[in-house]
Amino acid sequence: MKRTTIKDVAQQAGVSITTVSHALSGGGVVKQETRDRIRTLAREMNYFPNWNGKNLKSRNTRIIGFYVQYIRGFFGTIADAMHETCQKLGYELNIIIVEKGDTILDDLMSHKVDGAVILHDNFMSNQLDVLESAGLPAVFLDREQIGRRMSSVVFDSYQTGYQVAEYLYNLGHRQMMLIEGRNNYDSLERKRGFLDFLTQKGIDLDHAYLLLGNFERSDSYHAMEQFLSSKYPMPTAIFAENDDSAFGCMTALKNAGYSVPKDVSVVGCDNVELCQWWVPALTSTDTSIYQQGIKAAEEIVALVQGDKNGSLIKTPGHLVIRNSCRDIK
């Protein structure tokens, strides 16, 4: 198949080659409407400028883009770690809140940033294909995606789910509940690890004991409140896939007259600062969030500078035991 050239894009768009070049590079004087139309057309025609030659080196911005859908919770901790590490390596970090993955591609292709660290549910498979084909440097924090200039730095959420289930099982718990997060990598991996351990022990978790908390305190509160109004027996232990979900769950239990850990044990995940001050203090898995941010920054800079090929890096966690669980053996 013939490779699409900048001339082909210019002819299709009805503009000059110079206008296409300016639209894709971010330079020149081009109306935003025209710039957006040309960038969309270039993607549709599978045209990718060659950013790997001298042109790339002459246009380095020394800026790394951190692309997210929102900044709250542990996102700020990751951003702090990345910012400090980028500065040590001679780069600046821009935090960019966007709704669609196309913005990430546009920023990379127009040299607004040298590389992207991506924590974004709406970055789709077709956009991944563009990223890989164009050889644009990127690090993902929310999926395992490896390419020539593409890496993933993820937390080992599967092992966390497995370890929490094992911990509760060793305390004598057999009737457990899982409060799930969103439909993303960490949530699915924590669930998979948790259920795998239970399956190995011959424990089948009824669907009624899988609650949807969306990683949100209020959603978890209402999900637990609804469960408590049902006729199902109480679990003896609950694993909430993040700490906010655990806090919402524990509040609903308290309001309904249940005591943690006397009536039910609760484990969270992320080990946010509030865990140690909550009553009772929450047992949680420390997810090495700060270390993940450091490794992500180091990895994207190495990819930008061409020092390595893409790879998968998993950061381990460890369980921090406090007062929200009890032995019932």
PDB file of all heavy atoms in Angstrom, residues 97-116:
ATOM      1  N   ILE A  97      -6.063  18.539  31.500  1.00  0.00           N
ATOM      2  CA  ILE A  97      -7.341  17.851  31.720  1.00  0.00           C
ATOM      3  C   ILE A  97      -8.143  17.901  30.423  1.00  0.00           C
ATOM      4  O   ILE A  97      -8.493  18.976  29.937  1.00  0.00           O
ATOM      5  CB  ILE A  97      -8.125  18.511  32.870  1.00  0.00           C
ATOM      6  CG1 ILE A  97      -7.294  18.492  34.161  1.00  0.00           C
ATOM      7  CG2 ILE A  97      -9.450  17.788  33.093  1.00  0.00           C
ATOM      8  CD1 ILE A  97      -7.927  19.236  35.312  1.00  0.00           C
ATOM      9  N   VAL A  98      -8.395  16.726  29.835  1.00  0.00           N
ATOM     10  CA  VAL A  98      -9.083  16.669  28.548  1.00  0.00           C
ATOM     11  C   VAL A  98     -10.171  15.595  28.607  1.00  0.00           C
ATOM     12  O   VAL A  98     -10.115  14.674  29.421  1.00  0.00           O
ATOM     13  CB  VAL A  98      -8.105  16.348  27.395  1.00  0.00           C
ATOM     14  CG1 VAL A  98      -7.123  17.496  27.199  1.00  0.00           C
ATOM     15  CG2 VAL A  98      -7.350  15.047  27.655  1.00  0.00           C
ATOM     16  N   GLU A  99     -11.155  15.717  27.719  1.00  0.00           N
ATOM     17  CA  GLU A  99     -12.243  14.747  27.664  1.00  0.00           C
ATOM     18  C   GLU A  99     -11.964  13.638  26.663  1.00  0.00           C
ATOM     19  O   GLU A  99     -12.334  12.493  26.879  1.00  0.00           O
ATOM     20  CB  GLU A  99     -13.559  15.450  27.296  1.00  0.00           C
ATOM     21  CG  GLU A  99     -14.093  16.379  28.372  1.00  0.00           C
ATOM     22  CD  GLU A  99     -15.449  16.957  28.005  1.00  0.00           C
ATOM     23  OE1 GLU A  99     -16.039  16.484  27.001  1.00  0.00           O
ATOM     24  OE2 GLU A  99     -15.926  17.857  28.706  1.00  0.00           O
ATOM     25  N   LYS A 100     -11.289  13.978  25.551  1.00  0.00           N
ATOM     26  CA  LYS A 100     -11.104  13.019  24.468  1.00  0.00           C
ATOM     27  C   LYS A 100      -9.617  12.759  24.207  1.00  0.00           C
ATOM     28  O   LYS A 100      -8.769  13.632  24.375  1.00  0.00           O
ATOM     29  CB  LYS A 100     -11.765  13.537  23.190  1.00  0.00           C
ATOM     30  CG  LYS A 100     -13.271  13.725  23.313  1.00  0.00           C
ATOM     31  CD  LYS A 100     -13.869  14.240  22.024  1.00  0.00           C
ATOM     32  CE  LYS A 100     -15.389  14.406  22.136  1.00  0.00           C
ATOM     33  NZ  LYS A 100     -15.980  14.919  20.872  1.00  0.00           N
ATOM     34  N   GLY A 101      -9.342  11.546  23.740  1.00  0.00           N
ATOM     35  CA  GLY A 101      -7.972  11.169  23.456  1.00  0.00           C
ATOM     36  C   GLY A 101      -7.379  11.869  22.260  1.00  0.00           C
ATOM     37  O   GLY A 101      -6.149  11.951  22.121  1.00  0.00           O
ATOM     38  N   ASP A 102      -8.215  12.382  21.353  1.00  0.00           N
ATOM     39  CA  ASP A 102      -7.693  13.065  20.170  1.00  0.00           C
ATOM     40  C   ASP A 102      -6.813  14.255  20.549  1.00  0.00           C
ATOM     41  O   ASP A 102      -5.855  14.580  19.840  1.00  0.00           O
ATOM     42  CB  ASP A 102      -8.845  13.557  19.285  1.00  0.00           C
ATOM     43  CG  ASP A 102      -9.475  12.418  18.495  1.00  0.00           C
ATOM     44  OD1 ASP A 102      -8.846  11.347  18.405  1.00  0.00           O
ATOM     45  OD2 ASP A 102     -10.594  12.599  17.976  1.00  0.00           O
ATOM     46  N   THR A 103      -7.147  14.914  21.649  1.00  0.00           N
ATOM     47  CA  THR A 103      -6.350  16.068  22.089  1.00  0.00           C
ATOM     48  C   THR A 103      -4.919  15.647  22.399  1.00  0.00           C
ATOM     49  O   THR A 103      -3.968  16.382  22.113  1.00  0.00           O
ATOM     50  CB  THR A 103      -6.983  16.713  23.333  1.00  0.00           C
ATOM     51  OG1 THR A 103      -8.318  17.097  23.038  1.00  0.00           O
ATOM     52  CG2 THR A 103      -6.193  17.942  23.769  1.00  0.00           C
ATOM     53  N   ILE A 104      -4.755  14.474  22.966  1.00  0.00           N
ATOM     54  CA  ILE A 104      -3.425  13.977  23.295  1.00  0.00           C
ATOM     55  C   ILE A 104      -2.618  13.773  22.030  1.00  0.00           C
ATOM     56  O   ILE A 104      -1.451  14.183  21.931  1.00  0.00           O
ATOM     57  CB  ILE A 104      -3.530  12.667  24.096  1.00  0.00           C
ATOM     58  CG1 ILE A 104      -4.376  12.874  25.362  1.00  0.00           C
ATOM     59  CG2 ILE A 104      -2.143  12.141  24.462  1.00  0.00           C
ATOM     60  CD1 ILE A 104      -4.698  11.590  26.109  1.00  0.00           C
ATOM     61  N   LEU A 105      -3.238  13.155  21.019  1.00  0.00           N
ATOM     62  CA  LEU A 105      -2.555  12.942  19.746  1.00  0.00           C
ATOM     63  C   LEU A 105      -2.184  14.262  19.083  1.00  0.00           C
ATOM     64  O   LEU A 105      -1.073  14.428  18.566  1.00  0.00           O
ATOM     65  CB  LEU A 105      -3.444  12.124  18.806  1.00  0.00           C
ATOM     66  CG  LEU A 105      -3.722  10.676  19.205  1.00  0.00           C
ATOM     67  CD1 LEU A 105      -4.682  10.036  18.221  1.00  0.00           C
ATOM     68  CD2 LEU A 105      -2.432   9.887  19.279  1.00  0.00           C
ATOM     69  N   ASP A 106      -3.108  15.214  19.108  1.00  0.00           N
ATOM     70  CA  ASP A 106      -2.845  16.517  18.495  1.00  0.00           C
ATOM     71  C   ASP A 106      -1.655  17.207  19.150  1.00  0.00           C
ATOM     72  O   ASP A 106      -0.797  17.781  18.475  1.00  0.00           O
ATOM     73  CB  ASP A 106      -4.080  17.414  18.601  1.00  0.00           C
ATOM     74  CG  ASP A 106      -5.198  16.981  17.659  1.00  0.00           C
ATOM     75  OD1 ASP A 106      -4.911  16.201  16.739  1.00  0.00           O
ATOM     76  OD2 ASP A 106      -6.344  17.425  17.861  1.00  0.00           O
ATOM     77  N   ASP A 107      -1.592  17.167  20.486  1.00  0.00           N
ATOM     78  CA  ASP A 107      -0.500  17.834  21.197  1.00  0.00           C
ATOM     79  C   ASP A 107       0.844  17.209  20.876  1.00  0.00           C
ATOM     80  O   ASP A 107       1.861  17.907  20.734  1.00  0.00           O
ATOM     81  CB  ASP A 107      -0.750  17.796  22.708  1.00  0.00           C
ATOM     82  CG  ASP A 107      -1.813  18.788  23.151  1.00  0.00           C
ATOM     83  OD1 ASP A 107      -2.387  19.468  22.288  1.00  0.00           O
ATOM     84  OD2 ASP A 107      -2.077  18.863  24.361  1.00  0.00           O
ATOM     85  N   LEU A 108       0.872  15.874  20.757  1.00  0.00           N
ATOM     86  CA  LEU A 108       2.118  15.188  20.418  1.00  0.00           C
ATOM     87  C   LEU A 108       2.530  15.475  18.975  1.00  0.00           C
ATOM     88  O   LEU A 108       3.696  15.762  18.687  1.00  0.00           O
ATOM     89  CB  LEU A 108       1.968  13.685  20.635  1.00  0.00           C
ATOM     90  CG  LEU A 108       2.017  13.199  22.085  1.00  0.00           C
ATOM     91  CD1 LEU A 108       1.498  11.770  22.190  1.00  0.00           C
ATOM     92  CD2 LEU A 108       3.440  13.284  22.632  1.00  0.00           C
ATOM     93  N   MET A 109       1.584  15.414  18.073  1.00  0.00           N
ATOM     94  CA  MET A 109       1.898  15.598  16.656  1.00  0.00           C
ATOM     95  C   MET A 109       2.271  17.036  16.326  1.00  0.00           C
ATOM     96  O   MET A 109       3.016  17.302  15.384  1.00  0.00           O
ATOM     97  CB  MET A 109       0.717  15.146  15.795  1.00  0.00           C
ATOM     98  CG  MET A 109       0.448  13.649  15.891  1.00  0.00           C
ATOM     99  SD  MET A 109      -0.961  13.082  14.904  1.00  0.00           S
ATOM    100  CE  MET A 109      -0.293  13.254  13.250  1.00  0.00           C
ATOM    101  N   SER A 110       1.767  17.975  17.122  1.00  0.00           N
ATOM    102  CA  SER A 110       2.085  19.387  16.871  1.00  0.00           C
ATOM    103  C   SER A 110       3.221  19.892  17.754  1.00  0.00           C
ATOM    104  O   SER A 110       3.487  21.076  17.821  1.00  0.00           O
ATOM    105  CB  SER A 110       0.840  20.251  17.082  1.00  0.00           C
ATOM    106  OG  SER A 110       0.400  20.173  18.427  1.00  0.00           O
ATOM    107  N   HIS A 111       3.901  18.970  18.448  1.00  0.00           N
ATOM    108  CA  HIS A 111       5.077  19.304  19.268  1.00  0.00           C
ATOM    109  C   HIS A 111       4.761  20.241  20.432  1.00  0.00           C
ATOM    110  O   HIS A 111       5.644  20.979  20.876  1.00  0.00           O
ATOM    111  CB  HIS A 111       6.177  19.938  18.413  1.00  0.00           C
ATOM    112  CG  HIS A 111       6.723  19.021  17.375  1.00  0.00           C
ATOM    113  ND1 HIS A 111       7.380  17.861  17.669  1.00  0.00           N
ATOM    114  CD2 HIS A 111       6.697  19.107  16.019  1.00  0.00           C
ATOM    115  CE1 HIS A 111       7.754  17.270  16.545  1.00  0.00           C
ATOM    116  NE2 HIS A 111       7.338  18.001  15.534  1.00  0.00           N
ATOM    117  N   LYS A 112       3.539  20.230  20.922  1.00  0.00           N
ATOM    118  CA  LYS A 112       3.257  21.018  22.122  1.00  0.00           C
ATOM    119  C   LYS A 112       3.943  20.400  23.341  1.00  0.00           C
ATOM    120  O   LYS A 112       4.251  21.093  24.306  1.00  0.00           O
ATOM    121  CB  LYS A 112       1.747  21.113  22.356  1.00  0.00           C
ATOM    122  CG  LYS A 112       1.022  21.978  21.331  1.00  0.00           C
ATOM    123  CD  LYS A 112      -0.454  22.072  21.660  1.00  0.00           C
ATOM    124  CE  LYS A 112      -1.186  22.943  20.652  1.00  0.00           C
ATOM    125  NZ  LYS A 112      -2.642  23.017  20.933  1.00  0.00           N
ATOM    126  N   VAL A 113       4.111  19.079  23.301  1.00  0.00           N
ATOM    127  CA  VAL A 113       4.831  18.356  24.349  1.00  0.00           C
ATOM    128  C   VAL A 113       5.763  17.361  23.670  1.00  0.00           C
ATOM    129  O   VAL A 113       5.535  16.945  22.529  1.00  0.00           O
ATOM    130  CB  VAL A 113       3.873  17.620  25.312  1.00  0.00           C
ATOM    131  CG1 VAL A 113       3.001  18.607  26.072  1.00  0.00           C
ATOM    132  CG2 VAL A 113       3.021  16.611  24.557  1.00  0.00           C
ATOM    133  N   ASP A 114       6.812  16.969  24.383  1.00  0.00           N
ATOM    134  CA  ASP A 114       7.743  15.979  23.836  1.00  0.00           C
ATOM    135  C   ASP A 114       7.245  14.554  24.051  1.00  0.00           C
ATOM    136  O   ASP A 114       7.606  13.647  23.290  1.00  0.00           O
ATOM    137  CB  ASP A 114       9.118  16.124  24.496  1.00  0.00           C
ATOM    138  CG  ASP A 114       9.820  17.415  24.084  1.00  0.00           C
ATOM    139  OD1 ASP A 114       9.397  18.026  23.084  1.00  0.00           O
ATOM    140  OD2 ASP A 114      10.785  17.807  24.768  1.00  0.00           O
ATOM    141  N   GLY A 115       6.468  14.349  25.098  1.00  0.00           N
ATOM    142  CA  GLY A 115       5.958  13.023  25.398  1.00  0.00           C
ATOM    143  C   GLY A 115       4.748  13.130  26.306  1.00  0.00           C
ATOM    144  O   GLY A 115       4.520  14.172  26.933  1.00  0.00           O
ATOM    145  N   ALA A 116       3.977  12.058  26.383  1.00  0.00           N
ATOM    146  CA  ALA A 116       2.732  12.077  27.155  1.00  0.00           C
ATOM    147  C   ALA A 116       2.712  10.955  28.181  1.00  0.00           C
ATOM    148  O   ALA A 116       3.064   9.815  27.878  1.00  0.00           O
ATOM    149  CB  ALA A 116       1.528  11.944  26.225  1.00  0.00           C
TER     150      ALA A 116
END
